[in-house]
Amino acid sequence: MSTKRFKEKLVDWKVLHDNLAPRLTDLPQFAADHTALGQVLAQAQDLENKQELARAAFRQVNSQRKEISKQGGKLQTRLALGLRGVMNPENSDLTEFRIKPRAVTSERRRLTPLERAEREAARAAARLAQVKAAEKPPPPPPASPTPATQ
């Protein structure tokens, strides 16, 4: 059986308290506990109200945090772009401000169609040599000299 949530317990206590009240004249032995349950209900309801206020405050704080995060992000971006403009985007000194410098890329030399064809031919020749080497049977072991018979 699952555990009841606090609100479910409050509902159960409230029903018990309210339904027992008119019968206390017939059941006086429960008067003290009924009164104590009423006090517990009042305290529990007060705690529920406080918790709801705390939830509302929590939501408000989270909303403020999101807004501050947006503002901070915009300002950080603006400052980072300004520093990159002043210091050069590849400058490694940007790391001092926790800004990643742009990676320095070297220009790759493009092969001409002739060079590309030569490279492919060389690769094909190397593959062919590999295949031929794999097909070639291993050389026989060197003949060991036979001992002279006595």
Side-chain angles (χ1 to χ4, degrees), residues 58-74:
F58 181 70
R59 282 189 217 106
Q60 185 179 11
V61 166
N62 277 343
S63 176
Q64 289 173 350
R65 284 180 62 194
K66 286 178 186 175
E67 185 58 36
I68 290 293
S69 179
K70 285 180 187 177
Q71 289 175 4
K74 287 178 184 178

Side-chain angles (χ1 to χ4, degrees), residues 24 45 118:
L24 280 178
Q45 193 59 46
E118 288 172 347

